[in-house]
Amino acid sequence: MGVETTLPNRKDNNKVLHPSPEETNSISKSRKSRRRHRKMSPVQKLYETCKAVFSLCGAGIIPSSEDIQKLCSVLDAMRPVDFGLSPELPYERLTTAGRTPPITYLHLFECDKFSMGIFCLPPSGVIPLHNHPGMTVFSKLLFGTMHIKSYDWVVDAPEKTPTIENQQPTTENQNPAIENQKPTPENPIPSQVNAVAPPATRLAKVKVDADFTAPCDTKILYPADGGNMHCFTAVTACAVLDVLGPPYCDPDGRHCQYYLDIPFSQFTVDGVSVPEEEKEGYAWLQEIEKPDELAFVGALYSGPQIQEN
C-alpha cells in the first residue's frame, strides 16, 4: 500500500498563519520565564530554593531527603563573590590596637519558615556552644578556615537535677572558697574530688571536632541529630552562611541556649559509664546564660538583593 505524497493546494500553500492570542500570550510568558531564569542571581536562587524546601516545614519537621539534597547543591555552589564578600573586608581584620573585633552578622532574609544570614568572624573569633531547638540548619563556609565542635544529646542518659542531694560532697571536707566558686568557660567547675554534675547538666556525645577550610561541603544539623549543639572558632578570618528552618522564635519557646562543655571524667553519675578509650568522645553540657563577652554587630548587607514573590 502506497503513502499519499500529493502537495497541498497552491492557494492554501500561500496562506500566512498567525498565532492565536492565547498562543501569543503563552510564548511571551515562556520567554519572560527563560529571561528571568537566566538573570537570577545565586542569592535569589537560594531564596527560591529555601522557599520551596521549607514551605511545609515547622519546628521539629525535617525537609525530605530530596529537598535537603536540592538545597545542599545550591549552597555547595555558592562563593563569597555571590554575596560581595572577601577576606579583606574591615570586619575580618584585627583592629589597629590589636584587639579582636566583634563578630559581624549580615542579615539576608527571614520569614516564619526560614532565615538566612552570614556570620563574619575575625581570626580567633568564637561563636560559643549553643543549640538550635527544633531546627534544621545548613551551614556553608564561604571562605577561611574554621574549627567546628558539635554534640548530640545521649538519649538514654539521665539528666542531673538538684533533687539528687545524697551525692553532694560533704561541707566538712569542702573548701569554702571552692564551694562559692562559679563555673566559667576557662574553669568549668571548681576542683573537687568525686564532684557531682551541677543542675541542668546532661551527657552529650561529640559529633564533629575538626577544622574545615573553604571550599567544602555544606554541613547539616537536625533537631535531634547531626550536632544540634555546636561551637564555631575561626582559625583564620572566615565567613559562614547559615540557613535555619524554622528560625529562632521566642513565642514558641525556641530561643537559643548556651552551654559549657565539661570533660566526662569530671563527674560521676549513677548509671552512667563509658569505656576508658571512649571518654574523650563524651562531655557534660551545662546550660549557662549568654556569655558576657559574646558580641555581635549587625552590618548592612550590600550584595545582590532578594526579590520576594
Side-chain angles (χ1 to χ4, degrees), residues 189 194-195 262-268 276 279-280 282-284:
I189 64 165
N194 296 324
I262 305 169
F264 174 81
S265 57
Q266 189 71 67
F267 298 134
T268 58
E276 189 65 34
K279 287 184 178 180
E280 291 296 322
Y282 291 84
W284 299 102

Side-chain angles (χ1 to χ4, degrees), residues 30-174:
S30 177
R31 287 174 178 170
K32 288 180 180 178
S33 177
R34 287 198 297 271
R35 285 197 300 268
R36 191 169 70 90
H37 182 73
R38 285 198 299 269
K39 294 179 180 179
M40 185 181 294
S41 71
V43 177
Q44 185 68 29
K45 184 177 181 180
L46 175 62
Y47 163 77
E48 301 286 354
T49 305
C50 288
K51 187 177 176 182
V53 167
F54 293 109
S55 61
L56 300 178
C57 295
I61 302 175
I62 302 171
S64 68
S65 57
E66 292 80 8
D67 281 342
I68 288 174
Q69 183 57 45
K70 183 188 302 182
L71 181 51
C72 281
S73 65
V74 173
L75 287 167
D76 286 343
M78 304 205 80
R79 298 294 180 262
V81 67
D82 297 330
F83 302 93
L85 294 176
S86 77
E88 285 71 39
L89 290 172
Y91 40 75
E92 299 293 349
R93 300 194 296 268
L94 295 176
T95 63
T96 54
R99 295 189 299 270
T100 300
I103 296 166
T104 302
Y105 179 71
L106 305 177
H107 175 72
L108 300 181
F109 178 82
E110 181 170 335
C111 65
D112 61 349
K113 291 294 186 180
F114 66 94
S115 66
M116 304 186 302
I118 299 173
F119 290 94
C120 300
L121 289 79
S124 301
V126 177
I127 300 179
L129 191 62
H130 61 285
N131 71 342
H132 298 83
M135 302 155 73
T136 304
V137 180
F138 298 75
S139 295
K140 167 62 178 177
L141 186 61
L142 296 172
F143 64 77
T145 298
M146 172 182 286
H147 184 88
I148 300 177
K149 189 168 189 179
S150 65
Y151 296 89
D152 286 326
W153 294 122
V154 176
V155 178
D156 297 329
E159 181 174 354
K160 196 69 181 165
T161 66
T163 57
I164 303 176
E165 298 177 355
N166 59 347
Q167 293 182 352
Q168 293 291 345
T170 61
T171 56
E172 182 180 28
N173 299 322
Q174 192 168 347

Side-chain angles (χ1 to χ4, degrees), residues 226-275:
N228 191 275
M229 290 79 65
H230 68 196
C231 171
F232 289 160
T233 302
V235 179
T236 67
C238 56
V240 58
L241 167 65
D242 261 4
V243 175
L244 288 66
Y248 287 110
C249 183
D250 285 334
D252 291 345
R254 291 185 298 99
H255 57 87
C256 182
Q257 297 166 306
Y258 294 89
Y259 300 91
L260 284 177
D261 51 346
I262 305 169
F264 174 81
S265 57
Q266 189 71 67
F267 298 134
T268 58
V269 175
D270 287 345
V272 178
S273 63
V274 172

